[in-house]
Amino acid sequence: MSFVLDIALTHLRSRVRQTVVGVLGVATGVGFSIMMAALMEGSQADFIRQLVDSLPHISVTDETRNPPRQPAETRYDVVQIDGLRTPVVRPGIKNPMAIMASIESWVPGAIAPSVQAKAVIRYAGRDTATSFTGLDPKREQKVSKLATQMRQGSLDALYKATNALILGDGLAKKIGARVGNTVTIVSGAGRTLDCTIVGIAHTGVAQIDDVSSYGLIKTGQILASQIGLVNELRIRVADALQARTVATRIEAETGYKSVSWQEAHEDLLSAFEVRNIIMYTVVGAILLVASFGTFNIVSTITHEKARDIAIMKSLGFRAKSVRRIFVIEAAAIGLIGALIGWGLGYVLTRAMGSIEIKSPFMDSSTIPVLYSPLHYALATVVAVASSLFAGYFPARKAAAVEPVDIIRGAS
Amino acid sequence: MRAPLIETRNATRIIAGDVPATLVADVDVSVSAGEFIAIIGPSGSGKSSLLYLLGLLDRPTSGEVYLEGVATSALDDDSRADMRLATLGFVFQFHFLLPEFSARENIILPMRALRRLSEKAQVARADMLLEQLGLKDHAHKRPDQMSGGQRQRVAIARALANDPKVVLADEPTGNLDTHSGERVLEILNDLVSSGQRAVVMVTHDLALAARADRQIRIVDGRIAI
Ligand SMILES: Nc1ncnc2c1ncn2[C@@H]1O[C@H](COP(=O)(O)OP(=O)(O)OP(=O)(O)O)[C@@H](O)[C@H]1O
Ligand SMILES: [Mg+2]
């Protein structure tokens, strides 16, 4: 062992109380940082997972991003068009089967057609708005978790009755309907259908469960009064993170607006970014505060050890060696603190992860946490770096001591 | 002829301040191998200050200090530290041992810094020095577990650790009884007897000084005859 390391460790060993305080300071900082990161990223990952699971990764709709090109625009170079109104009747995706086949040929994943319709459910004398989705149960199972999110009944039950209907559990509760009840649906196109409730779905996202109803595509087409209508293709890609790239390509190839889940929830994702910035700032501050302890200890030691520093320098130790002694002390406090902090962070995270909560938005029974080695590594790097930084200044001051000044004073 | 181990030319040390203090003025001394030199003089005359200049602990404000013929005053701190480590050995009036380390560890420390010897050889040399100074049974004691005389001998052993050419001792017997002081003097005398090394010792004790090869008397920072 180098003598520099030896001296550094001896200093720390002979100051157990101060060292323990410093180490615990860093450990607490690292521990809470790890816990906080686990909580923040845990809830974020949980939220995104629920989001990604409950919605298609990509939704290709019969809309276009720009208004349709008007004849006048073709005719003249410069045109100003005001008050352009889109037709009430949705055009639908032209030739949906061919488009699905072409998308299926290159996109790794699954695709399912659907019909969207705004409608009102009439039950027990009350009207409640619903967002109706007509779907293909066989294909739907491959693009969404809906099939596994059935509280009662199943997707296949849609085949069992004419105009069968599945309600989101929030909606079912709101209107007070149960499986087996018959409700009336009035569509925006003016069609009225009597439907039998064959299932209750629960995606876990209240915004969806409170308004959604599901039926067969055919039912949707009747409600929309458009035979053969498909106005949405929903795609689940093998790698959810690829959704944005795939969506861009689909849009380029088909001309239809295709929106990835990332784009649909841009606001949420950017809110997460803000959250992460806040988190890293707070975590950084915690660790910085912990490093004040290191600074305190190292500068106390350098003061107490002024005489020893003078001795070492008078013996012929270079300033660099003396500086290294105290930098090593700071690093050791940071490192040992970080290691203990790992344990503390893990225990805290476990404890947090076992707390049960009730959330109006989500139905997770315990606080979601995310264990990531990155959190541990990052907290360690920041803790050790800030300890080093904190130790460097007193160490540099100590190394600059002129031995003769102290020896003169002492003898 | 070989250059003296240490030589000063017009070495002067002035401390600047409201009232500038002249610690050492125009001192020319030369220390050759095989010499045992005593520096004497009244309290506050500048004996210690001169020793710090000779030992490269302090820089002269004017004049020059040569170590084995090399002018040292303009060298950087690291070079001067290296010279102290390899060529010079210090014994201060107060033992100045590192309190957390045992006698043996204190003695080994300069050897570990110099790295001229293997670790095994360092331990062997430390034990040899402990033996020579009659400290064999105290190798594992920390400074606070030893008497003043024992500590002073450990400090001498540490000064000898890297086999320095010159040992500079500032009142090494100041805190010791006559018997212990006598032992210390014997040890220093043995050092110079081989003719390879030199000892410069500051002392108040004229009887001790009389046994040196040469005495340098300092009054008011100057050499007095
Ligand atoms: N920092 C300082 N500022 C001003 N004067 C100083 C300073 N340090 C020492 N002196 C003065 O320098 C002179 C020489 O001091 P030095 O310690 O060399 O004397 P000394 O001969 O070793 O004395 P003693 O025998 O008491 O140890 C003294 O008069 C002292 O007061
Ligand atoms: Mg003195």
Side-chain angles (χ1 to χ4, degrees), chain A residues 411, chain B residues 43-44 46-49 52 93 170-171 202 204:
Chain A
S411 51
Chain B
S43 182
K47 305 182 294 295
S48 297
S49 304
Y52 302 149
Q93 182 168 0
D170 196 349
E171 300 189 34
V202 171
H204 273 120

Side-chain angles (χ1 to χ4, degrees), chain A residues 310-329:
Chain A
I311 297 170
M312 292 187 277
K313 288 195 76 179
S314 70
L315 289 175
F317 283 31
R318 288 184 172 202
K320 193 174 64 186
S321 305
V322 173
R323 192 168 58 226
R324 211 172 278 163
I325 290 173
F326 297 102
V327 169
I328 287 174
E329 289 176 18

